[in-house]
């Protein structure tokens, strides 16, 4: 009766005291309370109540364990140190199948674990996990710990440290642990005994080293500092650059100019919560082990030293970067760990080595590779910390002893000190150069950090009030009162201070002070006008408010451009901007290709079958040469290319300009090479540094800003652009306009200034009158630089600001201003340029009512003027195909077989499609002209 748990209970009339109540379930015991009475069976009743009380004290699960342990092949065990969520996390970390308090059963078939696991939703449930007896090997016992390897999961993956085939648990006692080991198979690999002893000795030494208190403290310090920054700045999102600088971010220019403490403080700052979480996770993961390997105080000293070396490496690599974070020190910890694992003298057991070396190495390689491919990651600090950790680890690492870690030998400490001194001196000398001096613009704002802080707070409050008004959470009267009591006093205070300071500023900082004063004055006046408008509660002065807003945007754009330029001046001598590094980066990014080209949707490029001496191929070659020169830092070649292009405008075989090719090639490089705007500014700063009097670096800087604006917007229609993207686009255009306006007096001796002015004006929405005035001025100086014509035609397109009448008038004006002998040629040029802008099948004779006979005369004249050019033959044939002039196309067709110019044709209008269009007329023409050498159809 007592062999089966839950069997039918003995009747109450049995002999008193003979019932074994331990075999009954709780529910059955409750039922028996109604049947067994003290009067009828006093001893059974007493035993029943004692069993109920015992179960209440120890719990049903513990009782079940005790009952099962009566069998020789079952033991109670702990599958993890903790129960619940912590136990589950331990099992996930250690790759164990179950967790918590459980049982282990061993029989001839294998070993079965009873414990807990969680579903994918995190719900805990009881579960079993069986392991075949034949797959168990290498059983080891250390005190109450039992471990064994599971064959099949610990093959080649375990050898390299990825597979987790080891099962471990703890018995209730040493006796139980030894009994479990005896019940398991005795199969062992050849070197198991030696490895097991080494691992157990290593574990005992690690245990003797104690807890990782320094790692815990460092984690807490990082969290506390981030919390203080968030509380002080009233934000829990990303911090801006100014906030990081004020808290001690590592800005190379400031660091090298005396603020060396930034190398230390930057180690404990983080950009945002995600940055903090990733770093403290990595610190916690690698720090606990590394701290016990090297000892607490050595670990702390190394952590700080490696963080300092990572910060110094960041300054040497790019002094214009503002960096923050513990990642340099953390990568140093990875270096320490890899060094310790790889040294023979540290006597690390092979099992421990396999468990850590590959995962650590893969993480380091992945992180560094990701840092190379992503912008905004301070990979120099990572590499600097890692190298410092590897070197110092190899010098200072000592094997563990019974009492834990050993102190480094004095000789090793001395050698490490010497190496650190050499590295530090070399880094400081490399970083100290003329490129890391504060520019006047930076000197001004560095001495006015409180002004930047106060104006930033006022701007945020202004934006907050504006959002409240728009959202309806504040009344008009409330907004008026807030602006009057907060904004007007705040901006008046800033304005009065700057006005008093203006005559006291050094001459070099006068421009920065003037811009700051103009900005404060505009804000102050804007606030007063806004309060007056809110009090009137009307929009009668909305145009005046809009004027203030636009002026504010222009002033901010100018200052932001100056910030970018000031930062870029520190990078020409930086290691990251060296010619070798930039060229190697380009080779990696583009696989060694010579040229970067835009997609075909923006225009075709000449092919190898085109005449290499014709205008399109020569312009492409000029663009490629300019790209190569900029990448290699051959600024003399760039200057020569621009000078030659300016001198030979209109002298190419097709009447085009080499200057157009040079600029077009650089535009493609800026747009499609993949460099960040900071990297592009740095490269142009190197060019400006080599040729400080040249205007071409400044012009190309404007082009970079213009390209940067289109990156934000994209090239889709207006309905595809978000409001935020449009706002960024507008702001960057304003930066480009400010930069271009700054160099007007120096740059208007080149057609590029007018070309860029018109491009920016079109994008900003300038009126046709203003655009035409810019064109007329440029056209008067450079009548044969036809890119100006194309830019004006773009503005006159109906999809932009013009109309068919505007186009007709422009054509007429330009033709009439041309020399009489060239008027029909100019007319034909303009017609081709406009047709290409519209669409492949645009017929200008139909859409704009331009006469085909006049166009024919113009193209025939162009072919005569440029007999060596294939380009105009192909243009004439293309236009004839568009307008349906079969006879002209047929006459030109023989030349297209040997003198094709690929840039003229497209998939929609190609020689093949035109041949098909005029197939019948060509057959008739061949019959009438047997000597015609056109294609056989």
């Amino acid at each position: 009766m007592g062999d089966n748990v839950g069997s039918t209970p003995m009747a109450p009339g049995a002999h008193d005291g003979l019932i074994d109540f331990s075999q009954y379930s709780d529910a059955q015991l409750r039922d028996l309370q109604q049947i067994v009475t003290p009067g009828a069976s006093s001893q059974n009743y007493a035993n029943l109540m004692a069993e109920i009380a015992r179960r209440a004290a120890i719990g049903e699960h513990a009782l079940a364990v005790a009952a099962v342990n009566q069998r020789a092949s079952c033991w109670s065990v702990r599958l993890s140190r903790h129960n619940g969520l912590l136990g589950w996390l331990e099992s996930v970390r250690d790759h164990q199948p179950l967790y918590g308090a459980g049982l282990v059963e061993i029989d001839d078939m294998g070993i079965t674990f009873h414990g807990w696991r969680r579903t994918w939703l995190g719900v805990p449930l009881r579960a079993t996990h069986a392991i075949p007896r034949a797959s168990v090997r290498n059983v080891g016992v250390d005190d109450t710990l039992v471990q064994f390897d599971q064959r099949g999961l610990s093959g080649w993956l375990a050898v390299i440290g990825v597979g987790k085939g080891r099962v471990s648990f703890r018995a209730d006692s040493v006796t139980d642990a030894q009994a479990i080991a005896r019940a398991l198979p005795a199969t062992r690999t050849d070197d198991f005994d030696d490895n097991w002893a080494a691992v157990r000795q290593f574990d005992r030494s690690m245990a003797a080293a104690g807890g990782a208190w320094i790692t815990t403290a460092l984690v807490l310090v990082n969290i506390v500092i981030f919390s203080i920054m968030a509380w002080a700045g009233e934000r829990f999102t990303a911090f801006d650059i100014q906030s990081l600088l004020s808290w001690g971010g590592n800005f190379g220019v400031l660091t090298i100019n005396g603020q060396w403490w930034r190398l230390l403080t930057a180690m404990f700052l983080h950009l945002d919560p995600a940055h903090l979480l990733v770093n403290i996770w990595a610190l916690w993961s690698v720090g606990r082990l590394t701290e016990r390997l090297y000892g607490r105080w050595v670990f702390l000293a190394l952590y700080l030293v490696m963080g300092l070396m990572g910060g110094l490496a960041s300054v040497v690599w790019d002094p214009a970067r503002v960096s923050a974070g513990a990642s340099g020190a953390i990568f140093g910890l990875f270096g320490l760990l890899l060094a310790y694992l790889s040294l023979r003298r540290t006597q690390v057991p092979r099992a421990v080595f396999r468990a850590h070396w590959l995962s650590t190495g893969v993480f380091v390689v992945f992180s560094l590779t990701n840092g190379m491919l992503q912008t905004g990651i301070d990979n120099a600090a990572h590499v600097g910390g890692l190298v410092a950790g590897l070197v110092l680890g190899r010098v200072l690492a000592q094997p563990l002893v019974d009492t834990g870690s050993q102190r480094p030998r004095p000789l090793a400490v001395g050698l490490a000190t010497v190496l650190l001194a050499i590295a530090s001196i070399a880094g400081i000398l490399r970083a100290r150069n003329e490129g890391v001096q504060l520019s006047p613009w930076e000197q001004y704002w560095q001495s006015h950090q409180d002004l930047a802080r106060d104006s930033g707070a006022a701007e945020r409050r202004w934006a907050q009030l504006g959002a409240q008004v728009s959202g309806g959470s504040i009344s008009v009267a409330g907004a008026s009162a807030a602006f009057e009591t907060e904004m007007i006093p705040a901006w008046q205070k800033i304005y009065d201070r700057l006005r008093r300071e203006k005559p006291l500023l050094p001459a070099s900082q006068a421009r920065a002070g003037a811009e700051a004063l103009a900005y404060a004055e505009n804000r102050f006046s804007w606030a007063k006008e806004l309060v007056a408008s809110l009090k009137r509660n009307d929009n009668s002065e909305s145009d005046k408010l809009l004027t203030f807003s636009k002026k504010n945007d222009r002033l901010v754009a100018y200052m932001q451009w100056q910030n970018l330029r000031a930062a870029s001046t520190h990078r020409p001598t930086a290691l990251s901007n060296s010619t070798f590094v930039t060229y190697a980066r380009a080779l990696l990014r583009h696989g060694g290709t010579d040229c970067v080209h835009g997609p075909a949707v923006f225009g075709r490029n000449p092919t190898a079958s085109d005449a290499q001496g014709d205008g399109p191929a020569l312009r492409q070659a000029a663009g490629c040469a300019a790209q190569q020169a900029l990448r290699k830092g051959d600024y003399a070649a760039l200057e020569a290319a621009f000078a030659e292009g300016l001198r030979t405008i209109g002298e190419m075989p097709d009447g085009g300009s080499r200057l157009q090719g040079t600029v077009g090639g650089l535009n493609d490089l800026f747009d499609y090479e993949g460099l960040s705007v900071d990297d592009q500014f740095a490269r142009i700063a190197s060019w400006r540094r080599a040729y400080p009097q040249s205007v071409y670096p400044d012009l190309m800087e404007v082009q970079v800003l213009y390209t940067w604006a289109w990156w934000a917007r994209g090239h889709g229609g207006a309905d595809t652009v978000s409001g935020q993207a449009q706002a960024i686009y507008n702001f960057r255009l304003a930066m480009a306009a400010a930069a271009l306006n700054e160099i007007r007096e120096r740059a208007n001796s080149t057609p590029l200034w007018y070309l860029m002015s018109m491009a920016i004006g079109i994008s900003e929405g300038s009126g046709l009158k203003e655009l035409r005035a810019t064109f007329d001025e440029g056209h008067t100086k450079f009548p044969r630089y036809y890119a100006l014509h194309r830019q004006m035609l773009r503005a006159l397109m109906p999809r932009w600001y013009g109309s068919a009448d505007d186009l007709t008038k422009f054509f007429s004006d330009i033709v009439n201003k041309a020399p009489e002998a060239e008027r029909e040629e100019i007319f034909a040029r303009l017609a081709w340029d406009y047709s290409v802008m519209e669409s492949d099948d645009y017929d200008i004779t139909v859409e704009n009512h331009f006469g085909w006979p006049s166009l024919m005369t113009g193209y025939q004249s162009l072919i005569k003027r440029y007999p060596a050019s294939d380009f105009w033959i192909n243009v004439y044939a293309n236009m004839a195909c568009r307008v349906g002039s079969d006879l002209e196309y047929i006459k030109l067709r023989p030349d297209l077989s040997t003198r094709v110019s690929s840039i003229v044709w497209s998939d929609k209008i190609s020689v093949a499609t035109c041949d098909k269009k005029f197939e019948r007329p060509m057959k008739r023409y061949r019959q009438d002209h047997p000597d015609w050498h056109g294609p056989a159809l």
Side-chain angles (χ1 to χ4, degrees):
M1 179 184 66
D3 293 338
N4 298 310
V5 176
S7 58
T8 304
M10 181 183 289
H15 295 292
D16 193 20
L18 296 182
I19 301 177
D20 182 5
F21 290 105
S22 66
Q23 302 298 312
Y24 290 80
S25 68
D26 286 350
Q28 290 172 327
L29 292 179
R30 286 192 295 270
D31 291 340
L32 286 174
Q33 281 186 277
Q34 307 301 320
I35 299 173
V36 179
T37 62
S41 304
S42 59
Q43 188 60 47
N44 282 338
Y45 181 79
N47 292 344
L48 172 62
M49 299 308 296
E51 180 63 20
I52 292 174
R54 187 172 73 87
R55 292 192 183 189
I58 67 174
E60 184 177 2
H61 176 67
L63 182 64
V65 171
V68 173
N69 276 347
Q70 294 175 5
R71 308 177 191 174
S73 57
C74 287
W75 294 267
S76 64
V77 295
R78 286 214 61 87
L79 302 172
S80 62
R81 292 177 57 193
H82 300 90
N83 295 325
L85 181 61
L86 288 178
W88 174 66
L89 292 175
E90 288 176 21
S91 69
V92 172
R93 180 196 64 193
D94 299 333
H95 302 271
Q96 299 299 308
L98 304 174
Y99 70 92
L103 304 171
V104 59
E105 289 186 81
I106 302 175
D107 56 27
D108 293 340
M109 298 301 295
I111 179 171
T112 302
F113 292 96
H114 301 265
W116 295 86
R117 68 158 51 104
R118 290 185 180 246
T119 67
W120 66 277
L121 290 174
V123 178
L125 53 83
R126 291 189 180 276
T128 61
H129 180 76
I131 299 175
R133 190 176 185 87
S135 66
V136 176
R137 63 179 182 176
N138 293 337
V139 178
V141 179
D142 183 28
D143 196 51
T144 60
L145 176 68
V146 180
Q147 289 187 342
F148 62 83
D149 291 336
Q150 184 179 355
R151 191 193 307 271
L153 292 182
S154 56
W156 70 271
L157 288 175
V159 170
I160 62 173
V162 176
K164 298 295 182 180
R166 176 151 295 184
V167 179
S168 62
F169 54 90
R170 287 192 177 274
D172 285 349
S173 65
V174 175
T175 302
D176 284 354
Q178 293 173 347
I180 292 171
R182 288 194 297 270
L184 290 171
T187 306
R188 297 189 176 187
T189 54
D190 294 339
D191 55 353
F192 170 73
D193 290 332
D194 292 338
N195 284 340
W196 175 253
V199 169
R200 298 321 306 155
Q201 178 58 44
F202 183 84
D203 289 344
R204 283 191 287 270
S205 298
M206 292 290 288
W213 305 117
I214 299 297
T215 299
T216 304
L218 288 172
V219 168
L220 292 176
V221 166
N222 279 284
I223 294 174
V224 168
I225 290 177
F226 183 85
S227 301
I228 293 173
M229 289 177 63
W231 175 79
E234 298 182 352
R235 65 172 71 182
F236 286 88
T237 54
F239 297 107
D240 56 32
I241 297 299
Q242 191 59 45
S243 296
L244 290 174
L245 283 176
S246 63
W247 281 90
N250 182 21
F251 180 34
V253 182
L254 298 179
T255 302
I256 293 170
N257 284 283
Q259 299 181 17
W260 293 102
W261 48 268
R262 290 181 178 273
L263 295 177
L264 178 64
T265 55
M267 295 167 54
F268 298 96
L269 307 180
H270 290 85
L271 306 178
D272 51 45
H275 186 210
L276 173 70
L277 290 175
V278 169
N279 274 355
I280 61 175
W281 169 78
L283 173 58
W284 181 255
S285 299
V286 71
R288 290 173 299 156
L289 173 60
T290 310
E291 179 179 341
R292 289 180 289 173
L293 292 175
Y294 286 87
R296 290 193 183 99
W297 303 115
V298 173
F299 170 83
L300 177 60
L302 289 174
Y303 179 88
L304 296 175
V305 165
M306 293 181 301
L308 294 173
M309 296 305 295
L312 182 58
S314 177
V315 170
V316 171
W317 181 256
D318 185 0
R321 178 191 294 271
V322 178
S323 61
S327 54
I330 291 169
F331 269 82
L333 298 184
F334 284 119
L336 288 177
L337 179 59
L338 290 172
Y340 197 99
L341 294 174
S342 62
L343 286 172
R344 187 181 298 274
R345 70 169 182 269
T346 55
Q347 302 173 15
V348 176
R350 277 178 289 176
V352 175
F353 174 81
R354 289 196 301 265
H356 293 284
W357 78 272
L358 184 69
S359 58
T360 302
V362 167
F363 178 81
V364 168
V365 172
F366 171 80
S367 299
L368 294 179
T369 303
N370 183 61
M372 291 174 59
L373 300 176
Q374 301 292 329
T375 59
I377 297 178
D378 190 3
N379 227 23
H382 297 172
V383 173
L386 177 66
V387 171
L390 288 169
V391 173
L392 294 176
R394 294 191 69 84
V395 173
L396 298 174
Q398 295 293 315
L400 296 174
V401 294
D402 291 341
T403 56
S405 58
Q406 293 188 74
R407 290 184 178 180
R409 294 170 298 172
L411 182 62
V413 174
L415 177 58
T417 303
V418 170
L419 292 175
L420 281 174
I422 293 173
S424 300
I425 293 171
I428 293 171
L429 291 177
R430 178 63 181 83
R432 278 189 175 278
N433 54 63
E434 57 182 326
V436 295
Q437 300 302 313
L438 288 172
S439 67
W441 184 269
E442 290 170 315
Q443 291 171 10
Y444 176 84
W445 286 107
Q446 182 61 25
S447 64
H448 289 76
Q449 291 190 34
D450 57 334
L451 172 66
R453 182 182 62 250
D454 293 345
S455 62
E459 288 165 358
R460 288 192 294 271
R461 178 57 177 157
W462 187 307
Q464 184 183 29
L465 289 171
Q468 290 175 347
V469 172
S470 300
S473 61
I474 187 173
S475 66
V476 172
S480 175
F483 269 94
E484 188 169 21
T485 58
E486 297 180 51
M487 294 295 94
I488 290 179
W491 286 108
Q492 182 171 15
K493 178 182 177 182
I494 295 171
Y495 170 66
D496 290 343
R497 172 189 166 179
L498 294 175
R499 190 161 49 88
R500 290 192 304 268
E501 287 181 351
K502 182 178 179 181
L504 306 177
L505 290 174
S508 61
Q509 299 179 26
R511 181 61 187 273
E515 293 297 325
L517 178 60
Y519 178 70
E521 182 180 14
N522 185 67
R523 278 282 189 175
F524 179 38
S525 301
W526 187 8
K528 290 190 295 183
E529 185 62 34
L530 184 58
V531 169
S533 178
L534 289 171
K535 286 183 175 181
R536 290 193 304 268
N537 198 18
D538 63 35
N539 295 321
S540 60
E541 300 294 335
S542 59
D543 289 344
K544 185 179 291 187
L545 293 175
L546 183 60
T547 300
F548 282 120
S549 176
K550 289 182 176 179
K551 184 176 181 181
N552 181 79
D553 292 343
R554 288 196 300 271
L555 290 167
V556 173
Y558 178 86
M559 290 189 286
Q560 184 60 31
W561 164 59
Q562 286 291 350
N563 289 337
L564 269 175
R565 172 175 275 199
S568 70
T569 61
H570 306 304
R571 300 186 66 188
T573 55
L575 195 59
S576 63
N577 205 50
S578 66
T579 301
F580 172 77
V581 171
T582 53
Y583 192 62
R585 188 185 298 148
L587 288 178
L588 289 173
R589 185 175 285 110
H590 300 287
T593 56
D594 290 335
C595 286
V596 176
H597 299 298
V601 68
F602 296 122
R604 291 198 167 198
N605 294 299
T607 64
S609 61
D610 292 1
Q612 298 306 297
D614 202 357
L618 291 175
R619 284 189 289 274
Q620 184 185 52
C624 288
Q627 290 183 9
Q628 289 289 77
L630 185 59
R631 284 172 168 177
K632 294 178 180 179
D634 188 355
Y635 306 121
L638 275 174
E639 289 291 321
F642 275 100
E644 177 69 11
L646 183 62
R647 187 182 63 80
T648 59
I649 288 177
E651 295 184 8
M652 298 194 83
D654 61 350
S657 301
R658 189 179 303 273
L659 183 62
Q660 179 186 344
T662 299
V663 174
L666 292 178
N667 288 350
D668 283 345
L669 188 69
F670 299 149
D671 208 350
Y672 304 108
E673 185 184 19
L675 288 184
S676 68
V677 68
D678 290 330
D679 289 334
Q680 298 199 49
F681 259 66
R683 194 155 56 182
I684 290 173
S686 298
W687 182 2
R688 185 183 297 113
R689 184 185 180 89
Y691 289 88
Q693 302 303 317
S694 174
V695 73
Y696 296 115
D698 296 336
L699 284 167
M700 291 302 99
E701 185 174 87
V702 174
Q703 184 62 45
V704 168
L705 290 169
Y706 181 71
T707 300
W708 192 32
W710 281 96
W711 285 358
R713 184 194 182 280
H715 293 280
D719 57 343
T720 66
V721 183
S722 68
Q724 182 181 23
Q726 184 69 35
I728 297 173
Y729 167 75
N730 292 338
F731 182 74
R732 293 175 180 176
L733 281 178
M735 292 174 65
L740 189 64
N741 187 62
E742 187 80 356
I743 59 173
R744 179 186 180 108
E745 297 303 320
R746 297 172 51 231
N748 61 10
S749 59
T750 168
L752 300 181
W753 188 91
Y754 297 97
L755 186 68
M756 293 179 184
S757 181
M758 293 176 67
I760 294 170
I762 293 170
S763 300
E764 284 190 316
S766 299
L768 283 179
K769 185 177 180 180
E770 181 182 347
L771 293 170
R772 181 61 189 269
T774 303
F775 168 80
D776 287 342
E777 184 178 336
H779 179 253
T780 300
K781 293 181 179 180
F782 310 101
R784 295 186 183 279
Y785 193 68
Y786 299 111
L788 294 175
H789 298 78
R790 285 189 286 275
Q791 201 67 264
M792 193 65 221
L793 287 173
R794 177 180 165 224
L796 293 170
M797 296 177 76
R799 74 184 69 169
W800 284 97
Y801 313 115
S803 65
D805 290 341
D806 293 327
L807 279 168
T808 301
K809 185 177 185 306
F810 177 73
F811 271 65
S812 178
D813 290 347
I814 299 304
V815 169
N816 290 333
K817 287 180 181 179
E820 187 171 355
E822 299 178 16
R823 289 178 179 177
E824 290 178 324
E825 294 178 15
I826 292 295
F827 179 59
R829 278 183 182 273
L830 294 174
W832 167 247
D833 287 338
Y834 188 76
S835 297
V836 171
M837 288 182 187
E838 282 290 358
S839 63
D840 284 343
D841 54 358
Y842 188 82
D843 185 348
I844 200 168
T845 64
V846 174
E847 302 292 341
N848 299 90
H849 309 292
F850 291 165
W852 175 239
S854 296
L855 291 173
M856 288 171 53
T857 304
Y859 291 124
Q860 291 166 2
S861 179
L862 284 167
I863 292 172
K864 289 180 181 179
R865 182 179 294 277
Y866 305 108
S869 175
D870 299 340
F871 176 75
W872 288 114
I873 295 173
N874 284 257
V875 168
Y876 188 14
N878 184 297
M879 291 294 284
C881 182
R882 287 172 186 258
V883 304
S885 179
D886 52 1
L887 182 59
E888 294 306 311
Y889 179 81
I890 292 170
K891 290 179 179 178
L892 294 165
R893 183 59 183 84
D895 287 332
L896 299 182
S897 299
T898 56
R899 301 184 64 180
V900 68
S901 182
S902 303
I903 196 173
V904 171
W905 304 97
S906 67
D907 294 335
K908 194 169 186 179
I909 293 193
S910 63
V911 174
T913 59
C914 291
D915 284 349
K916 187 174 182 179
K917 180 178 181 179
F918 298 130
E919 183 175 358
R920 289 183 179 179
M922 279 198 286
K923 287 182 178 179
R924 290 195 302 268
Y925 191 85
R926 181 183 292 279
Q927 291 173 356
D928 296 339
H929 301 81
D931 57 343
W932 181 68
H933 299 296
L937 300 177

